[in-house]
Amino acid sequence: SNPLNMAADPKESGDEEFYTRWHPDGQSIAFFSNRFDRAGYDCAVHRVGIMSLGDGTAGMMPVQEKIGNQETLAWSPDGKSLAFSSKSCGGSGINIQLYLWQVDGGEVTQLTRDEFINAGPAFSHNGRFLAYHSFRGDNSEIILLDLQSGEETNLTNNPAKDSHPTWSPDDSQIAFVTNRDGNDEIYVMDVDGGNLQNLTNHPARDFEPQWSPIP
């Protein structure tokens, strides 16, 4: 193999890049970095940016919205927008909300408005729905957000910790991680939250499920 250093940071720069996600067309990468100018972004150490394979660091484009430190992210299937989570600036406690960045126009829309920790966004392949995990006190739930109507549905509604949703290729099921059996297992459920199945059923920890593509 012949790895290429896309960011090409000098060691003394202190710059960090992580959580890379390919654009659906395979020509650019979204990521988090602390390299962008942070004037006016008092609590935003890491911001989401986009880097094309052709331009490299010269073409890096960060989100301009003045919100907090940004976390997990996902491309929409059409590649026109990015969903990401961001910590709120100021206040007490930890509050993380989901946002949608329209990449071409630069507009950022807040998707969730509550007191919970919302992260791990995953788009359905038809682009209409966003699944994510929401930490609510001592447990976390898988939430389904209809991006057209704004309606939210708690798919798991269980005292266990449910997280890291990922869609089946035909959008009929969602795989996720749960500790409802005493340790982390991979479960799958229908998009209405029904028909739960434990796929791993093993005493070891199982996490970060991924579906194989349709042949």
Side-chain angles (χ1 to χ4, degrees):
S1 63
N2 186 22
L4 173 66
N5 185 345
M6 293 292 297
D9 297 328
K11 291 183 178 180
E12 64 273 14
S13 71
D15 289 342
E16 302 170 348
E17 287 82 32
F18 60 97
Y19 208 91
T20 54
R21 292 294 182 269
W22 284 99
H23 187 280
D25 68 7
Q27 297 303 305
S28 59
I29 299 172
F31 60 98
F32 292 112
S33 178
N34 66 343
R35 67 162 52 225
F36 305 118
D37 179 15
R38 294 190 294 275
Y41 295 79
D42 294 338
C43 65
V45 176
H46 296 108
R47 290 164 60 199
V48 61
I50 301 171
M51 176 172 55
S52 70
L53 298 186
D55 296 334
T57 56
M60 285 187 179
M61 179 178 66
V63 64
Q64 296 300 323
E65 192 77 4
K66 292 188 177 181
I67 49 184
N69 208 40
Q70 288 138 44
E71 305 285 338
T72 53
L73 60 85
W75 283 102
S76 62
D78 61 10
K80 295 181 179 180
S81 58
L82 275 166
F84 64 91
S85 55
S86 178
K87 294 180 181 178
S88 61
C89 290
S92 59
I94 299 176
N95 183 263
I96 297 178
Q97 302 301 323
L98 290 174
Y99 295 81
L100 189 67
W101 177 20
Q102 301 293 339
V103 175
D104 288 342
E107 179 183 0
V108 175
T109 303
Q110 186 170 344
L111 298 177
T112 59
R113 297 179 182 274
D114 53 41
E115 68 275 20
F116 305 124
I117 298 175
N118 304 305
F123 281 94
S124 60
H125 294 86
N126 63 16
R128 175 170 176 175
F129 298 97
L130 194 70
Y132 64 94
H133 53 248
S134 181
F135 289 90
R136 305 181 170 198
D138 293 331
N139 80 316
S140 59
E141 306 284 4
I142 304 298
I143 307 298
L144 184 68
L145 172 63
D146 186 328
L147 293 172
Q148 292 184 7
S149 68
E151 181 181 359
E152 294 182 349
T153 304
N154 186 339
L155 297 181
T156 47
N157 198 23
N158 188 281
K161 293 181 179 179
D162 306 304
S163 63
H164 297 87
T166 180
W167 293 82
S168 65
D170 63 358
D171 287 339
S172 67
Q173 294 180 302
I174 294 175
F176 64 101
V177 179
T178 180
N179 68 352
R180 64 185 62 200
D181 295 321
N183 71 311
D184 288 342
E185 303 279 8
I186 304 299
Y187 268 61
V188 65
M189 62 181 169
D190 292 344
V191 291
D192 62 359
N195 194 27
L196 274 76
Q197 302 176 58
N198 184 342
L199 298 182
T200 47
N201 197 22
H202 191 275
R205 292 185 61 212
D206 305 297
F207 51 93
E208 294 194 13
Q210 293 292 327
W211 293 85
S212 61
I214 296 176

